[in-house]
Amino acid sequence: MRVFIAGIDGYLGWPLAQHLAARGHTVAGADALLRRAWVGERGSVSAVPIAPVYERLAAFRELSGGPLPFSPLDLRDHPALGRALAAFAPDAVVHLAECPSAPYSMIDFRHADFVQSNNVSGTLSLLFAMREHCPGAHLVKLGTMGEYGTPDLDIPEGFFDVEFRGRRDRLPFPRQAGSWYHWSKVFDSQNVGFACRLWGLAATDVMQGVVYGSWCPPADPRLNSRLDFDEAFGTAVNRFCCQTVIGRPITPYGGGTQSRGLLSLADCLQCLTLVLEHPAAPGEYRVVNQLRDVLSVGRLAELVRDAARALGIDARIAAVDNPRDEAEAHHYNPDSEKLRELGFKPSAPIGAELRQMIGDLLPHADRVRAHADRLPPTVHWRRPQISSVPNPAEEGTRNERETAADHDDGGRGPHRPA
Ligand code: USQ
């Protein structure tokens, strides 16, 4: 199968390219390298060092025996996107090219506006480009479990049966997102569903839970995927593991009773591959809930502490005030049957994944330690922000010097929303 990955330089995109190639698929991709710039803008780096994109592509070519056609483009550059799709003629397009951070979107108007226009407009550009250049290709769009929020009902996979005033219908399950970022994914879902209905596009909208885990293939460090730990781009479990390797306490927010669906990076790759290899039908808008475990943040903190202790690290937990506006005591029971019906078999148990991740992080503890001031939360959902992030425009700031290796790719400076 010919798979075009939009967002191929990211945390999920780069391992997915390697995973699909190892299964015999032909891969191409696009990326505007914005994730590197956003993390740089926040004054941080990937804990695991990552190679510049053209070194990554060279490693891919040497190790997989074939080239990886790459377009350094922003999805909103509609003509360039069209040319890339027409040249590659994909059977499937995986769309990972969005700003994935709830905290980043909550900083201020500029960031909320940037995240929503980048995500919604980029997706719209992709939908129109697919209609013109590869109308038969299957779109696999990364959504989020956060679209549903935390309703006091079980959460079905996309749709549910409703009875109202004596009439019944099957309707989209209500979306109640909790950040400007999560709302951008809701708007995308509506647009993707509409394109399926209107043009007969085949699409799978993947409601993904929080992903954790490292990707450091022993064959070549140029194949490593990034692993962020800053407040905005590090997911909870990855942050917790980074905290343990520098002897900082693990920070569940608030009471730690808020629950989320989670899955490891390895499980994420397995699920995305299953979805690609079992495509939606033409005109079908399929929604899958992609998660493996439902756990509270407090329980996650304990699991990370125990994994670190098993490796001889004296890890401890210290809750901090919750900077977010989120329910802490709530019902949470999402369905996730469709992927299991397609054959999803969870890989290593969470404890083993955490020990692997902490082991991968230990050699890079100094990188985390040098940016430990990026760990505490500064973005508050309800009150105006007083940013403690240094101004990257100031020549010679510590953060510019230290992050240059990670985000000078493609000749870009740190991205600052206009
Ligand atoms: N949390 C802590 N301590 C921390 C960081 C986070 O307790 O140091 C808590 C948050 O309050 C939240 C939970 O952990 O209750 C998850 O936070 P997160 O930052 O790991 O995840 P979130 O902001 O929801 O976003 C992440 C990805 C996003 C994806 C989403 C899936 O960044 O791209 O869409 O997970 S989901 O959470 O299911 O919506």
Side-chain angles (χ1 to χ4, degrees):
M1 187 188 301
R2 297 173 69 76
V3 185
F4 185 92
I5 303 175
I8 199 167
D9 188 54
Y11 174 54
L12 305 181
W14 182 232
L16 181 64
Q18 296 169 46
H19 182 74
L20 291 175
R23 288 179 66 84
H25 298 298
T26 304
V27 180
D31 205 298
L33 310 180
L34 291 178
R35 172 66 169 265
R36 296 176 187 243
W38 295 325
V39 174
E41 178 201 329
R42 299 304 294 161
S44 194
V45 292
S46 165
V48 172
I50 55 171
V53 71
Y54 287 102
E55 287 181 23
R56 284 183 154 184
L57 297 171
F60 184 96
R61 196 168 45 242
E62 288 162 27
L63 289 144
S64 76
L68 193 168
F70 173 72
S71 309
L73 62 84
D74 188 315
L75 293 194
R76 291 171 298 169
D77 183 346
H78 192 63
L81 175 60
R83 285 192 296 275
L85 290 179
F88 184 65
D91 301 306
V93 176
V94 184
H95 179 12
L96 308 171
E98 296 193 296
C99 181
S101 170
Y104 190 79
S105 75
M106 301 300 286
I107 295 172
D108 57 16
F109 164 70
R110 286 184 314 126
H111 288 81
D113 182 42
F114 171 77
V115 170
Q116 291 211 346
S117 43
N118 179 72
N119 292 359
V120 177
S121 169
T123 299
L124 208 52
S125 172
L126 178 61
L127 290 171
F128 275 82
M130 286 184 70
R131 179 180 73 149
E132 191 170 343
H133 300 288
C134 51
H138 174 213
L139 172 64
V140 176
K141 163 74 174 65
L142 195 72
T144 169
M145 282 300 294
E147 293 186 31
Y148 300 119
T150 51
D152 204 19
L153 293 175
D154 291 358
I155 298 174
E157 299 195 73
F159 293 86
F160 73 148
D161 298 314
V162 193
E163 186 173 336
F164 183 61
R165 295 182 180 162
R167 299 182 65 83
R168 296 183 65 82
D169 203 351
R170 191 164 176 73
L171 294 175
F173 191 71
R175 281 6 188 215
Q176 303 184 87
S179 75
W180 302 117
Y181 152 73
H182 285 97
W183 279 112
S184 75
K185 295 282 194 172
V186 176
F187 306 147
D188 284 342
S189 287
Q190 305 291 342
N191 288 343
V192 173
F194 185 56
C196 293
R197 224 166 65 218
L198 196 64
W199 303 330
L201 177 76
T204 303
D205 205 351
V206 177
M207 301 296 118
Q208 181 166 262
V210 183
V211 179
Y212 59 89
S214 49
W215 180 268
C216 302
D220 190 324
R222 292 174 298 172
L223 298 177
N224 289 350
S225 192
R226 61 179 313 117
L227 196 146
D228 293 303
F229 57 90
D230 64 286
E231 167 193 19
F233 291 95
T235 55
V237 188
N238 290 0
R239 280 165 53 75
F240 293 170
C241 289
C242 288
Q243 287 165 335
T244 67
V245 299
I246 60 164
R248 289 283 178 114
I250 298 163
T251 58
Y253 292 161
T257 49
Q258 60 277 44
S259 291
R260 293 291 180 270
L262 293 118
L263 75 166
S264 68
L265 179 51
D267 284 340
C268 162
L269 301 180
Q270 187 195 151
C271 289
L272 291 176
T273 304
L274 280 168
V275 164
L276 283 164
E277 293 176 354
H278 301 83
E284 183 185 4
Y285 171 65
R286 177 173 66 170
V287 181
V288 301
N289 291 350
Q290 184 161 298
L291 56 118
R292 167 179 166 171
D293 303 301
V294 171
L295 290 165
S296 73
V297 162
R299 179 68 191 132
L300 282 169
E302 290 169 358
L303 288 167
V304 173
R305 179 197 60 196
D306 295 348
R309 286 185 177 170
L311 295 172
I313 298 169
D314 179 23
R316 62 192 195 286
I317 299 171
V320 297
D321 284 348
N322 196 338
R324 304 186 180 197
D325 182 28
E326 61 184 1
E328 290 191 12
H330 60 92
H331 178 76
Y332 202 64
N333 187 29
D335 291 348
S336 57
E337 297 310 313
K338 290 187 190 171
L339 282 161
R340 283 166 175 81
E341 284 162 13
L342 293 181
F344 171 46
K345 302 230 175 348
S347 49
I350 188 165
E353 289 282 356
L354 295 176
R355 288 192 296 279
Q356 169 77 44
M357 178 170 19
I358 294 168
D360 284 342
L361 285 167
L362 279 168
H364 309 299
D366 282 348
R367 289 172 66 85
V368 182
R369 197 171 289 113
H371 299 84
D373 61 339
R374 302 295 94 207
L375 282 162
T378 59
V379 181
H380 296 269
W381 260 225
R382 281 177 180 275
R383 53 179 200 262
Q385 313 305 319
I386 304 167
S387 177
S388 63
V389 175
N391 178 0
E394 279 173 24
E395 204 185 330
T397 62
R398 188 209 68 176
N399 291 302
E400 266 200 333
R401 287 197 305 275
E402 291 184 358
T403 61
D406 277 351
H407 65 76
D408 64 356
D409 228 337
R412 292 166 179 276
H415 174 82
R416 280 172 290 257

